[in-house]
């Protein structure tokens, strides 16, 4: 059991750092093949790993980390995007400062449903100087809810089908 949980932690970090890698099929696979692992433990481990990986993007948004070249835009593309989005980012940062409950809600919604995309919201939260406490708490709650639903699904549907 401990081996599957530590592997799940690693997969969660990997999937949150490298966007094409998906953690959801992993969670479903572990929940189906390892029914002795409690759904809440699997969800908690994966949520922690997922948020830990997104901290890289949060700190990159704050300007405290430089992403590897394969995760960055080319210089000319970055300048075009920065120019196009700078006004939006300034307004968003101002809204975050004025309305922390709204910001928390956006983080919670994004981390649980990926709408708006969680990857982008992690970066924007850093750019907008959202507090680390708010970022971590909203994202941990949202990711736990998401992965708890996935991890519990095989048991719930198994009971319904029998």
């Amino acid at each position: 059991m401990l081996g599957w949980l530590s592997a799940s932690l690693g997969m969660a970090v990997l999937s949150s750092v490298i966007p094409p890698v998906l953690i959801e099929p992993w969670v479903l696979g572990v929940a189906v093949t390892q029914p002795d692992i409690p759904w809440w433990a699997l969800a908690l481990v994966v949520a922690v790993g997922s948020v830990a990986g997104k901290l890289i993007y949060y700190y990159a948004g704050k300007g405290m980390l430089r992403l590897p070249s394969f995760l960055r835009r080319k210089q000319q593309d970055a300048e075009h995007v920065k120019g196009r989005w700078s006004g939006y980012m300034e307004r968003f940062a101002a809204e975050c400062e004025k309305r922390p409950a709204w910001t928390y809600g956006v983080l919670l919604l994004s981390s649980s449903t990926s709408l708006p995309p969680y990857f982008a919201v992690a970066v924007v939260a850093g750019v907008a100087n959202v507090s680390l406490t708010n970022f971590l708490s909203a994202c941990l709650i949202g990711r736990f809810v998401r992965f708890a639903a996935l991890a519990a699904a095989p048991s719930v549907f198994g009971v319904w089908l029998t």
Side-chain angles (χ1 to χ4, degrees):
M1 181 168 83
L2 192 56
W4 279 104
L5 288 176
S6 60
S8 296
L9 179 66
M11 277 299 294
V13 172
L14 180 69
S15 74
S16 66
V17 172
I18 302 174
V21 177
L22 298 176
I23 190 65
E24 289 80 1
W26 175 274
V27 171
L28 283 172
V30 171
V32 167
T33 62
Q34 303 298 318
D36 57 319
I37 297 176
W39 62 266
W40 59 267
L42 179 60
L44 182 62
V45 165
V46 173
V48 167
S50 177
V51 174
K54 285 297 186 247
L55 276 174
I56 293 170
Y57 294 103
Y58 172 82
Y59 283 122
K62 280 186 156 308
M64 299 172 76
L65 272 177
R66 184 171 168 87
L67 295 175
S69 61
F70 71 93
L71 292 174
R72 282 185 275 132
R73 294 181 183 271
K74 295 178 186 156
Q75 185 63 32
Q76 65 269 22
D77 291 342
E79 289 172 10
H80 172 71
V81 169
K82 185 178 180 184
R84 184 175 67 184
W85 290 96
S86 64
Y88 170 75
M89 293 304 295
E90 289 169 5
R91 286 192 307 275
F92 182 78
E95 284 300 315
C96 288
E97 208 171 306
K98 285 191 299 191
R99 300 174 8 177
W102 174 83
T103 305
Y104 197 86
V106 169
L107 287 169
L108 197 57
L109 179 69
S110 176
S111 62
S112 61
T113 66
S114 292
L115 293 171
Y118 182 49
F119 174 81
V121 169
V123 175
V124 170
V127 171
N129 287 318
V130 172
S131 79
L132 180 60
T133 304
N134 281 351
F135 179 78
L136 288 175
S137 65
C139 292
L140 280 171
I141 292 167
R143 294 317 261 180
F144 178 78
V145 167
R146 179 184 184 95
F147 297 129
L150 280 171
S155 296
V156 169
F157 289 118
V159 167
W160 285 349
L161 294 175
T162 58

